Amino acid sequence: MIFTDDDRASWAFVEGSISVSASILIADAIARCNRCAGLPVIGFFKKLTEQEDGVIITGMALLFPTAFAFYMGGKMVFAAYREYRSWRDAREAMIRQAEAAARANGLAEGRAEGLAEGLAEGLAEGLAEGLAEGRNEERDRLRREFAEQGISLPPEAERILYGEPDADS
C-alpha cells in the first residue's frame, strides 16, 4: 500500500478527532486523580478541573500537546513506513541482481564445464577410434603384403596378428 499526500490529509482529519477525544480523556483522568494535586503542571490542571466546566477547559488546554503528539507520531509512522518501503525495494532489487548474476555465472560455468567435458570425451573417443582404425588398416596392409608375396603364417601367428581385435577397439 502506497500512501500519497491525499492519504496524509485524510489521516490528519482522523488524528485531529483522536486528539480531541484524547485531550478530553486526559482531562477527565486528571479530574479523577486524587494524588495529582501535588504535581507541578498536573496539579494546576487538577485545580482547573474542579471549577465549573473545568474538564472541558482543561481538555482544550491539553488539545495542542495531544494534537502535536499525534501529529508527530503520525509523521514518524509514515516516515518509518516510507523508509521501510525504500529499504524493502532496495533489498528486492539487490536480490534480483544477485539472482541474475548467479544465473549468468552458473550458465557461463555450465557452458565452460560442458565444453571441457565434451572436448575431453571427443578427444578420447577420437584417439580410440583413430588407433583402432590405424591398427585395422595396418593389419589389412600386412595381410595383403603377405598374400602378394605368398607367405603363409602359422595359425597361431595369424590369429595373434589378424584374428584378435584390440581390447581398446
Side-chain angles (χ1 to χ4, degrees):
M1 177 178 197
I2 298 175
F3 291 105
T4 62
D5 289 336
D6 294 336
D7 294 328
R8 181 70 188 127
S10 300
W11 175 249
F13 175 75
V14 172
E15 121 191 329
S17 302
I18 292 171
S19 297
V20 170
S21 300
S23 66
I24 295 296
L25 283 173
I26 293 170
D28 186 53
I30 291 172
R32 293 173 191 260
C33 179
N34 294 329
R35 291 180 277 172
C36 295
L39 299 173
V41 175
I42 296 178
F44 169 75
F45 285 128
K46 172 73 173 159
K47 287 181 185 170
L48 192 60
T49 59
E50 292 169 356
Q51 298 176 7
E52 186 177 338
D53 294 331
V55 173
I56 294 175
I57 294 169
T58 304
M60 292 302 112
L62 292 173
L63 183 57
F64 179 73
T66 55
F68 183 74
F70 279 110
Y71 173 75
M72 292 308 292
K75 280 192 80 77
M76 286 192 297
V77 166
F78 282 101
Y81 183 70
R82 246 188 328 274
E83 186 64 28
Y84 163 75
R85 261 195 356 240
S86 67
W87 172 82
R88 182 194 64 202
D89 294 346
R91 182 173 173 262
E92 287 174 359
M94 284 176 31
I95 288 172
R96 281 193 301 272
Q97 279 181 333
E99 287 173 349
R103 204 171 13 258
N105 193 17
L107 286 173
E109 286 179 8
R111 281 191 195 115
E113 287 176 12
L115 285 173
E117 288 176 14
L119 183 62
E121 286 177 15
L123 188 60
E125 287 178 15
L127 282 174
E129 286 179 20
L131 283 174
E133 201 173 300
R135 284 185 186 133
N136 288 336
E137 286 178 10
E138 184 62 18
R139 285 178 181 158
D140 288 344
R141 188 189 68 76
L142 286 175
R143 191 177 285 133
R144 279 192 311 270
E145 285 292 322
F146 285 139
E148 281 178 9
Q149 293 184 14
I151 302 174
S152 66
L153 296 173
E156 190 171 322
E158 225 176 83
R159 184 177 52 81
I160 291 171
L161 187 59
Y162 309 128
E164 290 182 6
D166 285 343
D168 302 354
S169 61

